[in-house]
């Protein structure tokens, strides 16, 4: 889910041997989780276990044990915390396995009350966290059933970074909706079975900013470059790409040759010879029809960069319309503010805020505020107040009390 339900990622996970062979053949490596983030997650998990231990639970470390030891601990009497239990069971005819962070075991008269807990170094409780826990819970339930261990209650919760002093941890939730999501994935017509039985080339991938956090980033980048995939065309959505490929337009060179540029560099693009029928079908698809000329021109730039000099490409986008930037001649008193922020991904807080304030006649001021140390939410709040106060003072300084203001940001 975090990677936009990428089928190619799922294929790599379900075919580890073929994936290793591909990594060796293409001389690339998996992109690992950063050392800092991994250490931060381990520290957060350790703190969660310490909290449970201080509550009187017996902590059992199963990180070096197998599923058999987990079953033995379920059979043994007593309240306990199972740390890093290895879970393995068959779900709907497919073998599933995983390592949960924590399983809280509490006996009662009807059996065992079990709570599957996962520690996430995040301030937000995300759906993918809950689906992961639901998957572990389904494995645990099946293991207990096969071992003849009755379960009176099975719940799930997330240990996330508290948003404030009154934010209680862990955060419990209802497992049923998320277990239903797992069952849909494992259904006979579900995506897991389809991807498991498909060749790699039949599973989809698309390059977006999400790929920056994927361990298989290098594989998809290499494949896109070698096949000159439509994934190389900037700003193209997977929906538009799917429609183009369905109509036989499968690489940047084919897309670049769908239309011809107007000879004077003005007006709409013209259908290329022999492509009118394909274009009629493509232009009946919304929103592709509104973006097709843009896609063709960007594909032309990519094709030329790949060495296809028979394809003409302009240094600008024909038909792009008027720019959204203000005209300095139209607004002589304009004050421009260029914003930048830096985010601490370990603590999920802002640690730097900066701006360049440019007034009439080019007078400029810089505003930079930096946290004193690793930020928390309180430090972030203080930083924002200092930054905005200085920013508004500098806007008045360069532009006066009444200004026309335009703010620029690096991305959304």
């Amino acid at each position: 889910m975090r990677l936009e339900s990428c089928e190619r990622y799922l294929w790599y996970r379900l075919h580890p041997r073929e994936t290793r062979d591909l990594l060796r053949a293409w001389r690339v490596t998996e992109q690992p989780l950063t050392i800092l983030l991994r250490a931060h997650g381990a520290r957060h998990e350790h703190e969660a276990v310490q909290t449970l231990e201080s509550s009187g639970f017996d902590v059992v470390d199963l990180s070096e044990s197998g599923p058999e030891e987990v079953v033995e601990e379920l059979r043994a009497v007593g309240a306990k915390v199972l740390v890093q239990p290895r879970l393995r069971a068959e779900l709907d005819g497919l073998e599933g396995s995983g390592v949960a962070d924590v399983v809280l075991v509490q006996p009662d008269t009807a059996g065992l009350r079990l709570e599957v807990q996962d520690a996430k170094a995040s301030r937000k409780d995300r759906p993918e966290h809950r689906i992961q826990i639901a998957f572990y819970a389904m494995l645990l339930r099946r293991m207990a059933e096969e071992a003849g261990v009755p379960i009176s209650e099975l719940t799930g919760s997330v240990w996330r970074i508290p948003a404030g002093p009154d934010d209680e941890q862990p955060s419990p939730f209802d497992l049923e909706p998320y277990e239903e999501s797992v069952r849909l994935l494992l259904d006979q017509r579900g995506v897991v079975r389809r991807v498991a039985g498909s060749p790699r080339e039949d599973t989809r991938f698309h390059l977006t900013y999400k790929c920056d956090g994927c361990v298989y980033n290098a594989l998809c980048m290499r494949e896109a470059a070698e096949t000159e995939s439509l994934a190389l065309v900037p700003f193209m959505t997977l929906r538009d790409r799917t429609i183009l490929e369905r109509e036989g337009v499968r690489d940047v060179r084919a897309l670049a040759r769908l239309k011809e540029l107007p000879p004077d560099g003005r007006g709409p693009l013209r259908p290329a010879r022999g492509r009118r029928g394909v274009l009629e079908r493509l232009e009946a698809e919304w929103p592709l029809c509104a973006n097709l000329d843009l896609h063709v021109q960007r594909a032309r730039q990519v094709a030329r960069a790949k060495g296809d000099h028979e394809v003409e490409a302009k240094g600008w986008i024909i038909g792009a319309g008027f720019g959204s930037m203000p005209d300095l001649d139209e607004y002589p008193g304009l004050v421009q503010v260029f914003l930048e922020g830096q985010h601490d991904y370990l603590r999920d807080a802002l640690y730097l805020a900066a701006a360049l304030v440019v007034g009439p006649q080019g007078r400029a001021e810089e505003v930079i505020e930096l946290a004193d140390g690793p930020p928390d939410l309180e430090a972030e709040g203080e930083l924002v107040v200092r930054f905005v106060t200085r920013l508004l003072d500098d806007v008045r300084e360069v532009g006066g009390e009444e200004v026309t203001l335009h703010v620029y940001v690096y991305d959304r």
Side-chain angles (χ1 to χ4, degrees):
M1 290 182 66
R2 185 173 57 83
L3 298 173
E4 298 180 348
S5 303
C6 177
E7 290 185 2
R8 185 59 62 87
Y9 175 86
L10 180 58
W11 191 94
Y12 288 138
R13 298 300 288 177
L14 293 175
H15 301 81
R17 182 180 301 172
E18 294 91 334
T19 301
R20 287 194 297 270
D21 292 343
L22 198 59
L23 287 165
R24 283 194 294 268
W26 283 356
R27 297 182 180 181
V28 296
T29 58
E30 290 186 0
Q31 179 173 288
L33 192 67
T34 67
I35 295 174
L36 288 176
L37 193 58
R38 189 163 60 243
H40 186 60
R43 196 160 53 244
H44 178 56
E45 180 185 324
H46 180 65
E47 291 170 356
V49 173
Q50 282 187 319
T51 301
L52 291 169
E53 191 174 15
S54 64
S55 301
F57 288 97
D58 180 25
V59 174
V60 181
D61 186 357
L62 296 174
S63 57
E64 302 297 327
S65 305
E68 298 78 12
E69 286 78 4
V70 176
V71 173
E72 290 177 7
E73 290 295 337
L74 294 178
R75 285 173 172 155
V77 179
K80 67 193 76 174
V81 174
L82 307 183
V83 178
Q84 296 289 299
R86 296 182 180 276
L87 310 175
R88 185 181 298 130
E90 187 178 286
L91 299 177
D92 292 341
L94 294 173
E95 183 181 345
S97 63
V99 181
D101 285 343
V102 170
V103 172
L104 186 60
V105 182
Q106 294 177 290
D108 63 17
T109 55
L112 294 179
R113 285 186 289 118
L114 304 177
E115 183 168 329
V116 181
Q117 302 179 341
D118 226 45
K120 298 296 183 183
S122 168
R123 296 192 185 280
K124 298 178 181 178
D125 185 354
R126 297 188 173 92
E128 58 262 33
H129 300 164
R130 297 187 174 196
I131 285 185
Q132 182 181 2
I133 292 172
F135 176 65
Y136 293 157
M138 294 170 72
L139 294 176
L140 186 61
R141 181 187 292 113
R142 181 58 57 88
M143 291 171 66
E145 289 174 354
E146 293 176 353
V149 177
I151 297 177
S152 60
E153 185 180 30
L154 181 58
T155 56
S157 60
V158 180
W159 287 86
R160 51 178 173 75
I161 300 174
D166 299 326
D167 186 7
E168 294 186 5
Q169 295 296 321
S171 306
F173 62 91
D174 180 14
L175 281 172
E176 178 54 35
Y178 303 97
E179 290 191 5
E180 181 62 25
S181 297
V182 176
R183 285 191 285 269
L184 287 171
L185 290 171
L186 302 180
D187 185 79
Q188 292 294 331
R189 294 175 295 177
V191 65
V192 172
R193 294 179 192 272
R194 176 170 58 80
V195 170
S198 299
R200 177 176 58 87
E201 294 77 11
D202 290 350
T203 55
R204 308 199 65 79
F205 75 93
H206 194 61
L207 301 179
T208 72
Y209 71 95
K210 293 284 189 181
C211 302
D212 293 342
C214 176
V215 295
Y216 304 119
N217 179 306
L219 287 175
C220 294
M221 294 288 284
R222 174 72 179 265
E223 180 177 339
E226 288 202 347
T227 61
E228 300 186 356
S229 164
L230 294 180
L232 298 177
V233 179
F235 307 112
M236 180 181 289
T237 65
L238 180 56
R239 177 189 175 92
D240 285 359
R241 178 184 166 191
T242 301
I243 296 170
L244 286 164
E245 291 177 344
R246 189 182 66 206
E247 295 296 336
V249 183
R250 300 186 177 278
D251 56 53
V252 291
R253 295 176 194 259
L255 178 57
R257 288 173 166 79
L258 267 182
K259 290 190 172 187
E260 299 289 346
L261 300 181
D264 58 356
R266 298 179 180 179
L269 274 63
R270 302 171 301 169
R273 182 177 298 176
R275 308 300 284 163
R276 189 174 297 277
V278 174
L279 285 170
E280 287 179 356
R281 293 192 296 273
L282 292 175
E283 289 172 351
E285 298 281 354
W286 176 263
L288 173 62
C289 59
N291 301 320
L292 190 55
D293 281 8
L294 301 178
H295 292 333
V296 169
Q297 292 179 78
R298 289 169 179 147
R300 284 174 166 266
Q301 288 284 7
V302 175
R304 281 188 68 85
K306 287 284 186 181
D308 189 349
H309 298 296
E310 295 180 1
V311 173
E312 180 188 3
K314 299 292 186 183
W316 67 92
I317 296 291
I318 299 171
F322 293 102
S324 60
M325 300 303 176
D327 185 350
L328 297 181
D329 294 332
E330 185 73 19
Y331 300 98
L334 183 72
V335 175
Q336 299 170 289
V337 178
F338 301 86
L339 289 178
E340 166 67 345
Q342 292 293 326
H343 172 254
D344 187 322
Y345 64 91
L346 297 179
R347 295 175 175 265
D348 195 16
L350 197 71
Y351 71 84
L352 180 144
L356 175 66
V357 182
V358 181
Q361 291 82 47
R363 181 180 176 184
E365 297 288 342
E366 293 181 352
V367 184
I368 302 174
E369 285 292 339
L370 179 67
D372 295 330
D376 54 20
L377 291 185
E378 183 178 358
E380 179 187 67
E382 293 171 354
L383 182 148
V384 170
V385 170
R386 294 196 308 270
F387 172 72
V388 172
T389 302
R390 286 187 56 196
L391 178 62
L392 294 178
D393 287 343
D394 283 352
V395 168
R396 293 191 192 96
E397 184 71 22
V398 302
E401 288 296 323
E402 292 188 11
V403 300
T404 301
L405 192 68
H406 193 81
V407 180
Y408 304 76
V409 294
Y410 179 72
D411 60 20
R412 294 180 185 176

